[in-house]
Amino acid sequence: QVQLVESGGGFVQAGGSLRLSCAASGRTFSNYRMGWFRQAPGKEREFVAAISRSGGSTYYADSVKGRFTISRDNAKNTVHLQMNSLKPEDTAVYYCAARSIYSTNYYSAAEYNAWGQGTQVTVSS
């Protein structure tokens, strides 16, 4: 099983930017399709973005499309989430996730079999 550790969260004003990173270890990183999810207090975990094994395909939730960019570096076993034009509603704990099985349901948390511990992102108005 791959192990995942997120970093890069923090406190930022609305309109600002943050870059989240997720470092993977334990298995061949390039075998995993990766995703970012987030969970705000009192809400369910929701899909943010996903990326294919090669990085050639990316997918985004409508709420972040045009503002967030997911990328990966298979040589460094990392995946990133660049977040621009942040809004207060982006405030949440952000989780990195990995899945080893191909599925078109990249937006479903149930499809992912490894998770990081999460990193807090707080956007003030």
Side-chain angles (χ1 to χ4, degrees):
Q1 191 71 291
V2 65
Q3 288 81 47
L4 305 172
V5 178
E6 301 97 335
S7 61
F11 184 93
V12 64
Q13 291 187 332
S17 298
L18 282 175
R19 186 182 192 228
L20 304 184
S21 296
C22 174
S25 62
R27 293 285 183 175
T28 304
F29 179 65
S30 59
N31 287 344
Y32 289 85
R33 299 156 181 91
M34 302 298 295
W36 286 95
F37 289 75
R38 67 187 182 187
Q39 188 166 18
K43 295 187 177 181
E44 293 189 355
R45 192 168 298 189
E46 65 173 1
F47 169 74
V48 175
I51 190 166
S52 63
R53 290 181 297 176
S54 68
S57 297
T58 56
Y59 311 90
Y60 298 94
D62 287 343
S63 59
V64 307
K65 201 171 294 184
R67 300 188 298 122
F68 290 12
T69 302
I70 187 172
S71 62
R72 68 188 295 162
D73 185 339
N74 286 343
K76 296 184 178 180
N77 292 352
T78 56
V79 61
H80 303 286
L81 185 68
Q82 178 66 44
M83 306 186 295
N84 298 329
S85 302
L86 283 161
K87 304 175 181 180
E89 52 263 44
D90 294 318
T91 295
V93 177
Y94 283 70
Y95 297 91
C96 173
R99 59 191 179 101
S100 55
I101 304 299
Y102 172 76
S103 169
T104 56
N105 296 334
Y106 53 82
Y107 49 84
S108 173
E111 298 292 326
Y112 292 78
N113 49 3
W115 292 83
Q117 82 289 350
T119 186
Q120 176 71 46
V121 171
T122 303
V123 184
S124 67
S125 58

